[in-house]
């Protein structure tokens, strides 16, 4: 089994990074740097494990509460976050009817997924707040602004999801270059444990969304400014 102290140290590092969020006053660049550091920590941790330790590592759940009863823009990014962190995710409602995301995977990965969800959620809120003060936003009539808000947020999370997918491919290529097949091994472990949950999940057809193209594009630009594209290197 992997050393519990090592996992605790990793969690502590991620908890320390949690303080560096847009909501707490950091810049977008600092938020991106924090996300990049999470990826670096996870990759270093993964590469430190033996194949036996990966196979024997227990899987856990971690819940992210949205405090919202309705579908939100973050829905369009949550799958990319889970993929980025090598875990599974599903959407469910609690007893109060509020939506929450449940991450399932190795302890280090679900801790990171929860943190990145919080980070991205905070960044979108902060950028939307800035967008609402822009001349472009003021051009929308009052009755159109709700659509503009949603469109901006959707454009931003779509851009971030694309960046996460690109970065994940780069990281997987780096790990696979070791010849160990670590990515395949981790996926097999999580998938096997996930099947044991015997969950009755179903795919829901989502209704198409109306968007305001100008606001959506502005969100995409904001998401691009948060481009998570560091060179993940062993140091």
């Amino acid at each position: 089994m992997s050393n519990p102290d090592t996992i605790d140290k990793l969690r502590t590092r991620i908890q320390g990074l949690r303080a560096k969020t847009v909501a707490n006053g950091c810049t977008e660049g600092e938020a991106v740097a924090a996300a990049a550091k999470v990826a670096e920590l996870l990759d270093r941790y993964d590469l430190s494990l033996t194949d036996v330790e990966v196979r024997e590592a227990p899987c856990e759940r971690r819940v992210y509460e949205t405090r919202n009863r309705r579908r939100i823009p973050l829905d369009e990014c949550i799958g990319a976050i889970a993929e980025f962190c090598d875990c599974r995710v599903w959407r469910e409602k609690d007893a109060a009817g509020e939506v929450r995301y449940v991450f399932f995977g190795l302890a280090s990965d679900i801790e990171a997924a929860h943190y990145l969800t919080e980070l991205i959620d905070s960044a979108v809120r902060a950028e939307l707040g800035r967008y609402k003060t822009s001349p472009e936003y003021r051009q929308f009539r009052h009755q159109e602004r709700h659509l503009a808000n949603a469109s901006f947020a959707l454009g931003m999370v779509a851009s971030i999801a694309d960046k996460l997918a690109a970065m994940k491919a780069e990281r997987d290529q780096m790990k696979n270059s070791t010849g160990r097949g670590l990515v395949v091994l981790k996926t097999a472990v999580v998938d096997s444990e996930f099947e044991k949950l015997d969950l009755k999940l179903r795919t829901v057809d989502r209704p198409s969304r109306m968007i305001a193209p100008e606001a959506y594009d502005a969100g995409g630009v904001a998401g691009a400014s948060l481009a998570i594209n560091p060179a993940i290197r062993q140091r």
Side-chain angles (χ1 to χ4, degrees):
M1 294 290 292
S2 56
N3 188 336
D5 290 340
T6 305
I7 296 176
D8 287 343
K9 287 178 182 177
L10 181 63
R11 280 176 161 167
T12 300
R13 295 287 298 277
I14 293 174
Q15 290 287 349
L17 289 170
R18 179 168 275 113
K20 295 181 178 180
T21 61
V22 173
N24 287 338
C26 82
T27 66
E28 294 88 339
E30 288 169 333
V32 171
K37 187 63 177 178
V38 165
E40 181 184 330
L41 291 173
L42 286 178
D43 291 345
R44 285 185 180 181
Y45 177 71
D46 285 349
L47 292 168
S48 74
L49 299 177
T50 66
D51 288 2
V52 172
E53 287 174 330
V54 174
R55 290 190 185 97
E56 294 183 351
C59 288
E60 302 175 9
R61 302 187 199 198
R62 184 75 197 270
V63 173
Y64 184 84
E65 307 284 357
T66 70
R67 314 293 182 192
N68 206 306
R69 291 173 177 267
R70 298 180 181 179
R71 184 177 164 203
I72 58 175
L74 197 59
D75 282 354
E76 307 301 326
C77 192
I78 204 69
I81 294 170
E83 182 75 16
F84 183 77
C85 296
D86 295 319
C87 57
R88 303 289 291 269
V89 67
W90 63 90
R91 182 179 183 272
E92 64 182 29
K93 290 192 175 182
D94 61 18
E98 293 182 338
V99 173
R100 61 187 183 185
Y101 305 118
V102 184
F103 293 105
F104 179 83
L106 304 187
S108 55
D109 295 333
I110 61 173
E111 185 75 25
H114 189 279
Y115 165 65
L116 288 181
T117 303
E118 183 178 66
L119 181 76
I120 292 167
D121 195 18
S122 297
V124 170
R125 292 174 191 274
E127 289 292 344
L128 179 57
R130 280 187 274 272
Y131 177 62
K132 287 180 177 180
T133 66
S134 69
E136 293 79 12
Y137 182 79
R138 288 194 289 271
Q139 290 178 4
F140 286 98
R141 292 178 296 179
H142 181 75
Q143 62 267 33
E144 296 174 333
R145 289 184 177 179
H146 178 73
L147 178 61
N149 295 341
S151 299
F152 178 92
L154 279 172
M156 187 169 177
V157 297
S159 176
I160 292 172
D162 287 344
K163 302 301 179 185
L164 287 173
M167 186 176 174
K168 178 66 165 66
E170 180 184 337
R171 292 169 58 213
D172 284 354
Q173 183 177 22
M174 183 272 292
K175 284 192 280 190
N176 284 332
S177 69
T178 65
R180 284 183 56 196
L182 184 59
V183 176
V184 174
L185 176 58
K186 276 186 69 176
T187 300
V189 168
V190 175
D191 286 351
S192 176
E193 292 301 306
F194 182 76
E195 287 177 9
K196 293 177 184 178
L197 298 178
D198 195 27
L199 295 174
K200 306 302 181 186
L201 300 179
R202 60 191 177 90
T203 302
V204 178
D205 291 331
R206 296 176 177 177
S208 58
R209 291 181 187 258
M210 289 183 60
I211 63 167
E214 301 90 341
Y216 184 90
D217 290 344
V221 170
S225 75
L226 293 174
I228 304 172
N229 190 28
I232 302 299
R233 301 182 180 92
Q234 292 291 103
R235 295 197 181 111

PDB file of all heavy atoms in Angstrom, residues 70 128 132 137 140-152 210 212:
ATOM      1  N   ARG A  70     -30.762  24.141 -10.366  1.00  0.00           N
ATOM      2  CA  ARG A  70     -30.862  24.086 -11.817  1.00  0.00           C
ATOM      3  C   ARG A  70     -29.536  23.696 -12.458  1.00  0.00           C
ATOM      4  O   ARG A  70     -28.484  23.714 -11.825  1.00  0.00           O
ATOM      5  CB  ARG A  70     -31.306  25.449 -12.368  1.00  0.00           C
ATOM      6  CG  ARG A  70     -32.676  25.874 -11.883  1.00  0.00           C
ATOM      7  CD  ARG A  70     -33.032  27.223 -12.469  1.00  0.00           C
ATOM      8  NE  ARG A  70     -34.338  27.703 -12.033  1.00  0.00           N
ATOM      9  CZ  ARG A  70     -34.869  28.859 -12.385  1.00  0.00           C
ATOM     10  NH1 ARG A  70     -34.195  29.678 -13.189  1.00  0.00           N
ATOM     11  NH2 ARG A  70     -36.051  29.226 -11.954  1.00  0.00           N
ATOM     12  N   LEU A 128     -17.129  36.811 -14.878  1.00  0.00           N
ATOM     13  CA  LEU A 128     -18.474  37.277 -15.219  1.00  0.00           C
ATOM     14  C   LEU A 128     -18.741  38.625 -14.567  1.00  0.00           C
ATOM     15  O   LEU A 128     -19.340  39.527 -15.179  1.00  0.00           O
ATOM     16  CB  LEU A 128     -19.523  36.258 -14.781  1.00  0.00           C
ATOM     17  CG  LEU A 128     -20.990  36.626 -15.063  1.00  0.00           C
ATOM     18  CD1 LEU A 128     -21.213  36.885 -16.547  1.00  0.00           C
ATOM     19  CD2 LEU A 128     -21.924  35.523 -14.562  1.00  0.00           C
ATOM     20  N   LYS A 132     -19.629  42.093 -16.651  1.00  0.00           N
ATOM     21  CA  LYS A 132     -20.836  42.897 -16.435  1.00  0.00           C
ATOM     22  C   LYS A 132     -20.547  44.395 -16.353  1.00  0.00           C
ATOM     23  O   LYS A 132     -21.466  45.210 -16.423  1.00  0.00           O
ATOM     24  CB  LYS A 132     -21.545  42.444 -15.151  1.00  0.00           C
ATOM     25  CG  LYS A 132     -22.238  41.107 -15.284  1.00  0.00           C
ATOM     26  CD  LYS A 132     -22.908  40.728 -13.976  1.00  0.00           C
ATOM     27  CE  LYS A 132     -23.663  39.429 -14.083  1.00  0.00           C
ATOM     28  NZ  LYS A 132     -24.319  39.048 -12.809  1.00  0.00           N
ATOM     29  N   TYR A 137     -21.177  44.489 -22.536  1.00  0.00           N
ATOM     30  CA  TYR A 137     -22.315  43.967 -21.767  1.00  0.00           C
ATOM     31  C   TYR A 137     -23.444  44.992 -21.693  1.00  0.00           C
ATOM     32  O   TYR A 137     -24.627  44.645 -21.802  1.00  0.00           O
ATOM     33  CB  TYR A 137     -21.850  43.587 -20.359  1.00  0.00           C
ATOM     34  CG  TYR A 137     -22.939  42.986 -19.492  1.00  0.00           C
ATOM     35  CD1 TYR A 137     -23.320  41.657 -19.646  1.00  0.00           C
ATOM     36  CD2 TYR A 137     -23.587  43.755 -18.521  1.00  0.00           C
ATOM     37  CE1 TYR A 137     -24.309  41.096 -18.855  1.00  0.00           C
ATOM     38  CE2 TYR A 137     -24.576  43.202 -17.724  1.00  0.00           C
ATOM     39  CZ  TYR A 137     -24.936  41.877 -17.900  1.00  0.00           C
ATOM     40  OH  TYR A 137     -25.930  41.320 -17.115  1.00  0.00           O
ATOM     41  N   PHE A 140     -26.376  45.117 -24.196  1.00  0.00           N
ATOM     42  CA  PHE A 140     -27.536  44.226 -24.121  1.00  0.00           C
ATOM     43  C   PHE A 140     -28.680  44.942 -23.400  1.00  0.00           C
ATOM     44  O   PHE A 140     -28.461  45.633 -22.395  1.00  0.00           O
ATOM     45  CB  PHE A 140     -27.200  42.949 -23.338  1.00  0.00           C
ATOM     46  CG  PHE A 140     -26.331  41.991 -24.098  1.00  0.00           C
ATOM     47  CD1 PHE A 140     -24.961  41.957 -23.883  1.00  0.00           C
ATOM     48  CD2 PHE A 140     -26.882  41.109 -25.024  1.00  0.00           C
ATOM     49  CE1 PHE A 140     -24.146  41.070 -24.569  1.00  0.00           C
ATOM     50  CE2 PHE A 140     -26.082  40.224 -25.722  1.00  0.00           C
ATOM     51  CZ  PHE A 140     -24.703  40.199 -25.496  1.00  0.00           C
ATOM     52  N   ARG A 141     -29.873  44.766 -23.910  1.00  0.00           N
ATOM     53  CA  ARG A 141     -31.033  45.312 -23.221  1.00  0.00           C
ATOM     54  C   ARG A 141     -31.226  44.575 -21.897  1.00  0.00           C
ATOM     55  O   ARG A 141     -30.761  43.453 -21.734  1.00  0.00           O
ATOM     56  CB  ARG A 141     -32.284  45.178 -24.101  1.00  0.00           C
ATOM     57  CG  ARG A 141     -32.264  46.063 -25.348  1.00  0.00           C
ATOM     58  CD  ARG A 141     -33.498  45.855 -26.183  1.00  0.00           C
ATOM     59  NE  ARG A 141     -33.583  44.497 -26.710  1.00  0.00           N
ATOM     60  CZ  ARG A 141     -34.585  44.057 -27.456  1.00  0.00           C
ATOM     61  NH1 ARG A 141     -35.606  44.848 -27.743  1.00  0.00           N
ATOM     62  NH2 ARG A 141     -34.580  42.814 -27.909  1.00  0.00           N
ATOM     63  N   HIS A 142     -31.942  45.197 -20.986  1.00  0.00           N
ATOM     64  CA  HIS A 142     -32.096  44.618 -19.648  1.00  0.00           C
ATOM     65  C   HIS A 142     -32.657  43.200 -19.699  1.00  0.00           C
ATOM     66  O   HIS A 142     -32.172  42.295 -19.000  1.00  0.00           O
ATOM     67  CB  HIS A 142     -33.002  45.515 -18.799  1.00  0.00           C
ATOM     68  CG  HIS A 142     -33.183  45.014 -17.403  1.00  0.00           C
ATOM     69  ND1 HIS A 142     -32.196  45.120 -16.439  1.00  0.00           N
ATOM     70  CD2 HIS A 142     -34.234  44.375 -16.807  1.00  0.00           C
ATOM     71  CE1 HIS A 142     -32.636  44.575 -15.304  1.00  0.00           C
ATOM     72  NE2 HIS A 142     -33.859  44.127 -15.501  1.00  0.00           N
ATOM     73  N   GLN A 143     -33.653  42.990 -20.546  1.00  0.00           N
ATOM     74  CA  GLN A 143     -34.294  41.676 -20.615  1.00  0.00           C
ATOM     75  C   GLN A 143     -33.417  40.619 -21.292  1.00  0.00           C
ATOM     76  O   GLN A 143     -33.719  39.431 -21.250  1.00  0.00           O
ATOM     77  CB  GLN A 143     -35.657  41.766 -21.325  1.00  0.00           C
ATOM     78  CG  GLN A 143     -35.595  42.237 -22.758  1.00  0.00           C
ATOM     79  CD  GLN A 143     -35.770  43.741 -22.868  1.00  0.00           C
ATOM     80  OE1 GLN A 143     -35.358  44.490 -21.978  1.00  0.00           O
ATOM     81  NE2 GLN A 143     -36.415  44.191 -23.959  1.00  0.00           N
ATOM     82  N   GLU A 144     -32.317  41.060 -21.915  1.00  0.00           N
ATOM     83  CA  GLU A 144     -31.400  40.123 -22.588  1.00  0.00           C
ATOM     84  C   GLU A 144     -30.200  39.751 -21.713  1.00  0.00           C
ATOM     85  O   GLU A 144     -29.422  38.865 -22.072  1.00  0.00           O
ATOM     86  CB  GLU A 144     -30.869  40.762 -23.882  1.00  0.00           C
ATOM     87  CG  GLU A 144     -31.939  41.040 -24.931  1.00  0.00           C
ATOM     88  CD  GLU A 144     -31.365  41.790 -26.117  1.00  0.00           C
ATOM     89  OE1 GLU A 144     -30.346  42.515 -25.927  1.00  0.00           O
ATOM     90  OE2 GLU A 144     -31.905  41.658 -27.221  1.00  0.00           O
ATOM     91  N   ARG A 145     -30.057  40.404 -20.581  1.00  0.00           N
ATOM     92  CA  ARG A 145     -28.814  40.243 -19.815  1.00  0.00           C
ATOM     93  C   ARG A 145     -28.703  38.884 -19.118  1.00  0.00           C
ATOM     94  O   ARG A 145     -27.591  38.393 -18.908  1.00  0.00           O
ATOM     95  CB  ARG A 145     -28.661  41.399 -18.820  1.00  0.00           C
ATOM     96  CG  ARG A 145     -28.348  42.688 -19.553  1.00  0.00           C
ATOM     97  CD  ARG A 145     -28.077  43.866 -18.642  1.00  0.00           C
ATOM     98  NE  ARG A 145     -27.710  45.034 -19.451  1.00  0.00           N
ATOM     99  CZ  ARG A 145     -27.423  46.220 -18.947  1.00  0.00           C
ATOM    100  NH1 ARG A 145     -27.461  46.424 -17.632  1.00  0.00           N
ATOM    101  NH2 ARG A 145     -27.092  47.212 -19.765  1.00  0.00           N
ATOM    102  N   HIS A 146     -29.819  38.286 -18.765  1.00  0.00           N
ATOM    103  CA  HIS A 146     -29.745  36.946 -18.171  1.00  0.00           C
ATOM    104  C   HIS A 146     -29.153  35.966 -19.178  1.00  0.00           C
ATOM    105  O   HIS A 146     -28.293  35.127 -18.837  1.00  0.00           O
ATOM    106  CB  HIS A 146     -31.143  36.480 -17.736  1.00  0.00           C
ATOM    107  CG  HIS A 146     -31.153  35.104 -17.156  1.00  0.00           C
ATOM    108  ND1 HIS A 146     -30.653  34.827 -15.900  1.00  0.00           N
ATOM    109  CD2 HIS A 146     -31.581  33.912 -17.667  1.00  0.00           C
ATOM    110  CE1 HIS A 146     -30.777  33.529 -15.653  1.00  0.00           C
ATOM    111  NE2 HIS A 146     -31.329  32.946 -16.708  1.00  0.00           N
ATOM    112  N   LEU A 147     -29.583  36.060 -20.437  1.00  0.00           N
ATOM    113  CA  LEU A 147     -29.042  35.211 -21.495  1.00  0.00           C
ATOM    114  C   LEU A 147     -27.571  35.520 -21.736  1.00  0.00           C
ATOM    115  O   LEU A 147     -26.760  34.606 -21.946  1.00  0.00           O
ATOM    116  CB  LEU A 147     -29.843  35.414 -22.787  1.00  0.00           C
ATOM    117  CG  LEU A 147     -29.376  34.616 -24.019  1.00  0.00           C
ATOM    118  CD1 LEU A 147     -29.471  33.116 -23.752  1.00  0.00           C
ATOM    119  CD2 LEU A 147     -30.206  34.998 -25.242  1.00  0.00           C
ATOM    120  N   ALA A 148     -27.212  36.790 -21.691  1.00  0.00           N
ATOM    121  CA  ALA A 148     -25.815  37.180 -21.884  1.00  0.00           C
ATOM    122  C   ALA A 148     -24.931  36.594 -20.782  1.00  0.00           C
ATOM    123  O   ALA A 148     -23.825  36.099 -21.044  1.00  0.00           O
ATOM    124  CB  ALA A 148     -25.688  38.700 -21.917  1.00  0.00           C
ATOM    125  N   ASN A 149     -25.405  36.636 -19.543  1.00  0.00           N
ATOM    126  CA  ASN A 149     -24.646  36.089 -18.413  1.00  0.00           C
ATOM    127  C   ASN A 149     -24.375  34.597 -18.615  1.00  0.00           C
ATOM    128  O   ASN A 149     -23.239  34.116 -18.457  1.00  0.00           O
ATOM    129  CB  ASN A 149     -25.417  36.283 -17.106  1.00  0.00           C
ATOM    130  CG  ASN A 149     -25.586  37.741 -16.729  1.00  0.00           C
ATOM    131  OD1 ASN A 149     -24.860  38.601 -17.222  1.00  0.00           O
ATOM    132  ND2 ASN A 149     -26.546  38.016 -15.873  1.00  0.00           N
ATOM    133  N   ALA A 150     -25.439  33.862 -18.937  1.00  0.00           N
ATOM    134  CA  ALA A 150     -25.313  32.412 -19.124  1.00  0.00           C
ATOM    135  C   ALA A 150     -24.407  32.094 -20.311  1.00  0.00           C
ATOM    136  O   ALA A 150     -23.593  31.165 -20.264  1.00  0.00           O
ATOM    137  CB  ALA A 150     -26.687  31.786 -19.320  1.00  0.00           C
ATOM    138  N   SER A 151     -24.523  32.882 -21.381  1.00  0.00           N
ATOM    139  CA  SER A 151     -23.722  32.650 -22.581  1.00  0.00           C
ATOM    140  C   SER A 151     -22.244  32.878 -22.306  1.00  0.00           C
ATOM    141  O   SER A 151     -21.379  32.119 -22.761  1.00  0.00           O
ATOM    142  CB  SER A 151     -24.194  33.558 -23.714  1.00  0.00           C
ATOM    143  OG  SER A 151     -25.544  33.295 -24.051  1.00  0.00           O
ATOM    144  N   PHE A 152     -21.949  33.942 -21.575  1.00  0.00           N
ATOM    145  CA  PHE A 152     -20.554  34.230 -21.228  1.00  0.00           C
ATOM    146  C   PHE A 152     -19.955  33.076 -20.422  1.00  0.00           C
ATOM    147  O   PHE A 152     -18.856  32.598 -20.724  1.00  0.00           O
ATOM    148  CB  PHE A 152     -20.472  35.531 -20.418  1.00  0.00           C
ATOM    149  CG  PHE A 152     -19.077  35.872 -19.975  1.00  0.00           C
ATOM    150  CD1 PHE A 152     -18.276  36.678 -20.772  1.00  0.00           C
ATOM    151  CD2 PHE A 152     -18.576  35.400 -18.781  1.00  0.00           C
ATOM    152  CE1 PHE A 152     -16.973  37.000 -20.374  1.00  0.00           C
ATOM    153  CE2 PHE A 152     -17.279  35.707 -18.372  1.00  0.00           C
ATOM    154  CZ  PHE A 152     -16.478  36.510 -19.164  1.00  0.00           C
ATOM    155  N   MET A 210     -30.110  28.254 -25.747  1.00  0.00           N
ATOM    156  CA  MET A 210     -29.995  29.472 -26.538  1.00  0.00           C
ATOM    157  C   MET A 210     -28.797  30.245 -26.011  1.00  0.00           C
ATOM    158  O   MET A 210     -28.546  30.265 -24.798  1.00  0.00           O
ATOM    159  CB  MET A 210     -31.252  30.334 -26.406  1.00  0.00           C
ATOM    160  CG  MET A 210     -32.470  29.764 -27.107  1.00  0.00           C
ATOM    161  SD  MET A 210     -33.883  30.892 -26.974  1.00  0.00           S
ATOM    162  CE  MET A 210     -33.231  32.360 -27.799  1.00  0.00           C
ATOM    163  N   ALA A 212     -26.266  33.942 -26.556  1.00  0.00           N
ATOM    164  CA  ALA A 212     -25.977  35.216 -27.208  1.00  0.00           C
ATOM    165  C   ALA A 212     -24.547  35.081 -27.743  1.00  0.00           C
ATOM    166  O   ALA A 212     -23.606  35.023 -26.949  1.00  0.00           O
ATOM    167  CB  ALA A 212     -26.075  36.365 -26.208  1.00  0.00           C
TER     168      ALA A 212
END
